Amino acid sequence: MEEKKSYKLHIESYDMNGLGVAKLEEKIVFVSGALKGETVLAELTNVHKKYAFAKTIKVLSPSMQRILSPCSYYEGCGGCDLLHMPYRVECEIKEAKVKNTFHKMVKDENIQFNPLIRNRNIFGYRNKVMTPFGYDEDENVIYGFYEKLTHSLISIDKCEISNHNVNEVIEFVRRYISVMHIKVYDEMTHTGIFRGVMARTNYKDEVMLVLITTKLFDFSRMLEYIEKDFPFVKSIYININPDKTNVMLSHQYVHIYKEKTLVEDILGLKFSVSAASFMQVNHDMCEKLYEEAFRMAGLSKEMTVIDAYCGMGSITLNIAKQVKHVYGIEIVEEAIENANHNKELNQISNATFICGPCEEEIQKLVHLEQIDCIFFDPPRKGCESTFLKTVIEMKIPKIVYISCNISTCCRDLTILQAGGYDIQEVTPVDLFSKTSHVESICLLVLNTEMK
């Protein structure tokens, strides 16, 4: 068994990320781009002591379920790793991923697992895209995404899961950079000006464009073309990043065109979204996610609620419509300023935003009044142990945990479980169709003996 050598493999099942599972010389091989029941020719990419990874080179005996990928860059890009399978199969894999991770990491036979909430629009849903720019072998300006597990840029002219207006305007930027001979940044030599583009859209398909450069640059000619040909572009910034790094965005934004923010609508409330704001990348499924989280919490006008890691307040202010009072806590000062602006925008009076460490602010609030429920939607790394310890010590009756990483979620849930919480139910949500990622919502209730 050798790396970069091809072998004939029969795919017996799927792993938790939708990779095909085969056996070769008593080792498990995880095969990308393969369906259960198929025989494929696959090239080994990584070989370990007990398992190996491979990529499908040729399908020798295709499954009846195999579908033709609508993306011509599928084999190279690897960003959308499930384009070769029917959506029904994708959903089954995601449901199994959540259940199997819970069964492996969380010792509880009484958890209710709800069906995956499915996405009705599995293409064109992504409302935020960041694309690095570069050159191909012929020195043509290209943009795209990095090939999986490499730093090799795959040239594209559109992304199938991205908003159509975003695809259109990024391709225009590529042509402009090429025609105007603006030098693209080279990481190896640390030369050039233009690094790439970040673009985001709202519910009206309006676009905010962020042009990422190594220094302030005059794009006035570009703005003339955009105003004439792309009326849906409502805001443009330059993000200046002079550092020798492959991290694209810095904290330095310069506003150069029209509005400073986009207005997003989430469940009937308006939100002012800045270039640096965090927002779920799938608008329609974000609303489904919030509705399911609110159902789990059993929100009512008698309740007082905390929303930890509140960001710009999209969950907080939607909770406010249904409860007596809600507190949003966030350590990032700019996010709290954004949240307070959104509070004023929607004329909401029963929400309070607090800037500070969650574990400290929670203790202050619990000592002031009865808190009935706490929501948290942490980053992929999950919650800090000090935060979880504080939640346990405060004995808040209900927890709604929203997670984009089921492994760190289960890790955190075992800590909360040991602290006296029972896991009641779990709902997976498909925010990231055609990829192996899955969101989940968990309801925990404080055991009556611990109150």
Side-chain angles (χ1 to χ4, degrees):
M1 185 182 287
E2 301 175 26
E3 288 184 7
K4 296 186 178 180
K5 190 172 180 180
S6 296
Y7 297 85
K8 184 177 177 181
L9 301 173
H10 178 70
I11 309 302
E12 299 177 1
S13 59
Y14 297 112
D15 81 338
M16 65 189 298
N17 293 313
L19 295 174
V21 178
K23 288 182 181 176
L24 178 65
E25 299 175 9
E26 303 303 314
K27 286 186 181 179
I28 297 293
V29 184
F30 300 102
V31 188
S32 64
L35 294 176
K36 185 170 72 171
E38 291 184 333
T39 301
V40 302
L41 185 66
E43 180 185 296
L44 295 183
T45 54
N46 296 94
V47 177
H48 300 267
K49 189 174 181 179
K50 294 183 178 179
Y51 60 91
F53 289 94
K55 61 181 180 180
T56 298
I57 302 299
K58 185 177 181 181
V59 181
L60 303 175
S61 176
S63 164
M64 292 292 289
Q65 293 186 325
R66 176 170 286 274
I67 60 175
L68 183 65
S69 168
C71 176
S72 55
Y73 314 106
Y74 172 52
E75 291 184 8
C77 175
C80 303
D81 41 4
L82 304 181
L83 281 167
H84 60 290
M85 64 176 58
Y87 187 56
R88 174 185 59 79
V89 177
E90 176 184 338
C91 292
E92 290 170 0
I93 288 170
K94 289 177 177 179
E95 282 188 356
K97 178 177 184 173
V98 172
K99 285 182 183 178
N100 292 341
T101 306
F102 264 86
H103 292 323
K104 183 178 179 181
M105 298 182 66
V106 180
K107 307 304 179 187
D108 192 336
E109 299 298 321
N110 299 313
I111 302 171
Q112 175 184 320
F113 290 96
N114 301 319
L116 176 88
I117 298 177
R118 298 189 177 195
N119 185 4
R120 287 181 296 181
N121 300 302
I122 59 176
F123 296 108
Y125 65 82
R126 191 174 181 93
N127 60 29
K128 181 184 176 184
V129 177
M130 188 147 55
T131 57
F133 275 50
Y135 293 109
D136 65 12
E137 293 177 353
D138 299 318
E139 292 298 304
N140 297 309
V141 175
I142 62 171
Y143 71 90
F145 303 109
Y146 292 117
E147 185 179 359
K148 206 165 191 176
L149 303 177
T150 77
H151 205 62
S152 176
L153 188 63
I154 301 297
S155 174
I156 69 170
D157 59 15
K158 71 172 182 176
C159 173
E160 295 294 340
I161 66 169
S162 297
N163 178 280
H164 57 281
N165 281 350
V166 166
N167 284 326
E168 190 178 339
V169 76
I170 294 179
E171 172 57 21
F172 160 75
V173 172
R174 184 200 66 78
R175 293 197 305 271
Y176 182 88
I177 297 299
S178 177
V179 169
M180 301 303 290
H181 302 291
I182 299 171
K183 290 292 183 182
V184 174
Y185 178 70
D186 186 316
E187 284 181 26
M188 301 299 293
T189 61
H190 193 49
T191 58
I193 294 170
F194 199 79
R195 286 179 177 265
V197 169
M198 190 270 276
R200 67 191 325 160
T201 58
N202 63 5
Y203 72 114
K204 290 183 177 179
D205 291 331
E206 295 171 337
V207 174
M208 172 185 284
L209 200 59
V210 178
L211 307 170
I212 309 166
T213 62
T214 56
K215 63 181 181 180
L216 191 61
F217 190 81
D218 182 8
F219 286 107
S220 55
R221 186 87 178 270
M222 178 192 285
L223 301 187
E224 292 175 13
Y225 288 113
I226 285 178
E227 187 162 28
K228 177 176 175 289
D229 297 329
F230 302 94
F232 52 79
V233 176
K234 301 298 182 183
S235 175
I236 301 179
Y237 284 82
I238 297 175
N239 179 273
I240 303 171
N241 184 359
D243 296 339
K244 192 173 184 179
T245 174
N246 58 10
V247 176
M248 287 187 65
L249 290 172
S250 74
H251 296 292
Q252 187 179 358
Y253 291 89
V254 179
H255 178 246
I256 62 170
Y257 183 75
K258 288 193 175 180
E259 306 298 327
K260 288 191 174 182
T261 62
L262 289 182
V263 175
E264 184 60 285
D265 183 297
I266 302 175
L267 295 173
L269 294 184
K270 297 293 188 287
F271 294 89
S272 178
V273 181
S274 70
S277 294
F278 169 77
M279 191 171 61
Q280 295 285 3
V281 299
N282 186 331
H283 172 270
D284 293 351
M285 293 307 294
C286 170
E287 293 190 324
K288 297 287 185 187
L289 176 83
Y290 288 3
E291 287 174 334
E292 177 67 358
F294 301 156
R295 179 199 67 77
M296 282 189 181
L299 299 179
S300 71
K301 289 295 183 182
E302 293 75 41
M303 294 175 70
T304 301
V305 176
I306 292 175
D307 177 22
Y309 308 97
C310 70
M312 68 176 188
S314 57
I315 293 179
T316 321
L317 296 176
N318 273 293
I319 289 173
K321 296 188 293 185
Q322 305 174 63
V323 302
K324 182 173 70 176
H325 201 91
V326 59
Y327 295 93
I329 306 172
E330 172 64 64
I331 199 166
V332 180
E333 189 175 344
E334 293 86 348
I336 288 295
E337 290 173 4
N338 194 187
N340 276 314
H341 175 73
N342 290 328
K343 173 184 167 181
E344 293 174 10
L345 188 65
N346 291 284
Q347 299 181 323
I348 288 174
S349 59
N350 63 329
T352 302
F353 290 103
I354 302 167
C355 186
C358 285
E359 57 270 22
E360 294 178 14
E361 300 302 333
I362 288 169
Q363 290 187 59
K364 295 176 188 175
L365 289 172
V366 171
H367 289 138
L368 284 174
E369 59 183 306
Q370 171 64 43
I371 302 297
D372 301 295
C373 180
I374 183 169
F375 284 70
F376 35 94
D377 183 2
R380 287 190 64 80
K381 66 178 183 179
C383 299
E384 298 292 340
S385 58
T386 51
F387 170 76
L388 295 173
K389 183 181 177 183
T390 300
V391 172
I392 291 167
E393 288 175 351
M394 295 302 103
K395 292 183 167 53
I396 298 171
K398 283 184 185 177
I399 299 171
V400 176
Y401 189 137
I402 300 170
S403 173
C404 61
N405 185 336
I406 193 62
S407 295
T408 56
C409 172
C410 286
R411 179 203 66 200
D412 293 347
L413 293 185
T414 58
I415 296 171
L416 293 167
Q417 200 177 35
Y421 283 90
D422 296 327
I423 306 166
Q424 300 284 306
E425 58 177 312
V426 179
T427 302
V429 186
D430 183 30
L431 264 74
F432 313 103
S433 301
K434 310 318 295 179
T435 80
S436 57
H437 301 292
V438 60
E439 200 92 359
S440 60
I441 317 165
C442 311
L443 172 65
L444 298 93
V445 176
L446 186 63
N447 191 302
T448 52
E449 296 177 4
M450 302 296 293
K451 291 183 180 179

